[in-house]
Amino acid sequence: MFETKIIEATDDGMKEAQNAAVELLQQGEVVALPTETVYGLAADAFNPTAVAKIFAAKERPDFDPLIVHIATVRDLERVAIVPEDIRHTLNQLTTEFWPGPLTVILPKTPEVPDLVTSGLSTVGVRQSGHPIFRAINKALGNPIAAPSANRFGRISPTSASAVMKELGGRIPLIVDAGACSEGVESTIIRIEPREGKKPIFHLHRAGPISKEQLQKFGKVQAVKPGDTLQSPGQLESHYAPLTPFRLIEKPSDFTPELGKRYGLLSYTGEEGGEFVRMHRWENVVALSPGSGKLAEAAVRLFYVMREMDEMGLDEIIAEPVSEVGLGVAIMDRLKRASAR
Ligand code: TXA
Ligand code: MG
């Protein structure tokens, strides 16, 4: 057991937070760090003993590989071997989207411990766009392995207090940099080169970098459940609140049971909305109460799911959002939270 410390990485605490995090990472400990997507549970990727502590703290099964974060693009060659036939495409992608929420699956170097990749010959790599994460990554000097800082299968944390609820007592330190700016985990792709044609991007996980953005550089194809090359951790049931959670397609798909307390996870929460009107909800919580934009909905998604989980409801009913742009990533999370 640890007494989990939270250090605020604000103006005064910045140096203290960074130094404490780097010191712990050097000692082979794990620390929770902010990224632009969600909070990550970080360890020195080249230290298998430290990486093992990630799996232990999260109760994560060892078949689920971790994403490796690099501080600078130059560090890419320390963790991945870039095949000649995708080099040009990879350059285009990293120029456009790094630092940022895009993870690319590449053949790994022998230096990356098997534990990190769950024995796979490939490694998922990204360069985080969060200035504090990158500063710590740079000061450590080694790549950082970091999954989302939640217990396995649960809702990803987008604030330090959410990390505390998930992993308090299990880790020594949380660096608090406020809410994450993206709110959903990075987009994950694998690049398949094609002779004389644009490459195929196999989409392993929808995220902040949308299909529409990727299409400029290649043809995007979703990896389907059951696909042999599917990401081992992309389980059908994931991001699950403890309260029963159900995504419905249309209002007529919902028949309330007598005496049960239902809450609605609505897109805009507007009173006139067909889902809002269809039942006398205990609570209606809006994903995007402001401008009704998908970016706001993504940022609030995991926060709102946690909040509703604590309302003592019998079931949370979620209405769909349109599956364009960021909406694909949001719907992916809602579907997995809804799968049991
Ligand atoms: O935004 C993010 O990516 C966050 C922050 C902390 O960087 N990290 C994150 O990690 O979401 P995690 O562990 O929650 O999700 C990683 C996903 C898993 O579904 C895993 O199966 C997949 O990435 N993955 C990692 N390495 C892979 C590989 N070599 N091949 C296929 N899938 C891989
Ligand atoms: Mg995760």
Side-chain angles (χ1 to χ4, degrees):
M1 274 299 268
F2 285 98
E3 197 174 320
T4 305
K5 197 171 167 189
I6 299 187
I7 306 182
E8 275 184 48
T10 47
D11 297 342
D12 289 345
M14 190 70 77
K15 266 273 149 291
E16 185 198 347
Q18 291 185 9
N19 292 342
V22 172
E23 197 169 308
L24 283 163
L25 291 168
Q26 281 168 342
Q27 291 165 1
E29 282 304 330
V30 295
V31 294
L33 301 179
T35 84
E36 73 277 43
T37 57
V38 300
Y39 275 72
L41 184 59
D44 180 341
F46 287 160
N47 179 343
T49 314
V51 171
K53 292 179 186 173
I54 294 179
F55 285 88
K58 282 185 57 106
E59 297 172 52
R60 182 174 173 118
D62 60 12
F63 61 76
D64 190 2
L66 308 178
I67 289 174
V68 171
H69 303 69
I70 51 175
T72 66
V73 180
R74 263 173 306 171
D75 278 342
L76 184 59
E77 63 190 42
R78 297 174 68 193
V79 295
I81 300 157
V82 180
E84 229 11 82
D85 52 5
I86 64 165
R87 185 172 292 275
H88 175 66
T89 303
L90 185 68
N91 273 340
Q92 288 181 315
L93 291 174
T94 57
T95 305
E96 181 90 2
F97 301 115
W98 279 9
L102 178 71
T103 297
V104 185
I105 299 172
L106 294 165
K108 81 174 193 75
T109 58
E111 284 69 41
V112 180
D114 285 334
L115 188 58
V116 171
T117 61
S118 301
L120 296 177
S121 59
T122 55
V123 60
V125 190
R126 81 179 188 101
Q127 185 191 25
S128 169
H130 199 293
I132 293 167
F133 187 97
R134 273 174 62 206
I136 291 168
N137 203 349
K138 209 166 187 177
L140 177 66
N142 273 355
I144 288 179
S148 49
N150 51 283
R151 277 171 284 158
F152 184 69
R154 300 263 293 129
I155 305 169
S156 301
T158 50
S159 67
S161 66
V163 177
M164 193 57 145
K165 282 187 191 144
E166 289 290 321
L167 300 175
R170 298 176 178 210
I171 59 174
L173 176 67
I174 302 169
V175 173
D176 182 358
C180 301
S181 61
E182 299 285 351
V184 290
E185 302 87 345
S186 62
T187 304
I188 305 179
I189 60 165
R190 182 170 48 83
I191 305 168
E192 183 192 331
R194 291 190 298 177
E195 282 267 356
K197 278 195 199 167
K198 275 189 179 178
I200 296 177
F201 298 147
H202 295 277
L203 184 67
H204 285 246
R205 179 170 72 187
I209 304 296
S210 66
K211 180 179 172 175
E212 290 84 346
Q213 284 172 288
L214 291 167
Q215 266 162 352
K216 201 168 137 194
F217 307 102
K219 185 173 176 228
V220 181
Q221 232 171 57
V223 176
K224 298 266 163 16
D227 206 315
T228 44
L229 281 166
Q230 197 193 359
S231 282
Q234 287 301 98
L235 304 180
E236 222 159 312
S237 169
H238 207 2
Y239 312 109
L242 298 173
T243 310
F245 186 99
R246 183 152 50 111
L247 172 68
I248 59 173
E249 257 177 56
K250 48 187 189 305
S252 60
D253 290 344
F254 174 67
T255 319
E257 282 176 44
L258 211 62
K260 276 202 172 180
R261 304 172 74 247
Y262 295 95
L264 178 70
L265 176 50
S266 168
Y267 183 37
T268 64
E270 273 165 23
E271 274 184 34
E274 52 173 354
F275 289 88
V276 177
R277 272 189 291 123
M278 77 194 208
H279 181 71
R280 291 188 54 179
W281 305 101
E282 291 292 327
N283 298 89
V284 175
V285 181
L287 275 183
S288 180
S291 52
K293 291 270 170 52
L294 288 166
E296 183 188 26
V299 165
R300 283 172 50 80
L301 177 67
F302 291 139
Y303 166 79
V304 162
M305 278 167 67
R306 277 176 190 280
E307 180 181 55
M308 293 191 82
D309 206 11
E310 286 167 9
M311 287 176 174
L313 299 162
D314 292 310
E315 192 169 12
I316 301 165
I317 303 295
E319 65 175 61
V321 306
S322 66
E323 286 185 88
V324 292
L326 251 180
V328 179
I330 296 170
M331 279 295 275
D332 170 75
R333 306 312 186 268
L334 292 175
K335 283 176 195 165
R336 288 182 209 275
S338 181
R340 295 272 151 172

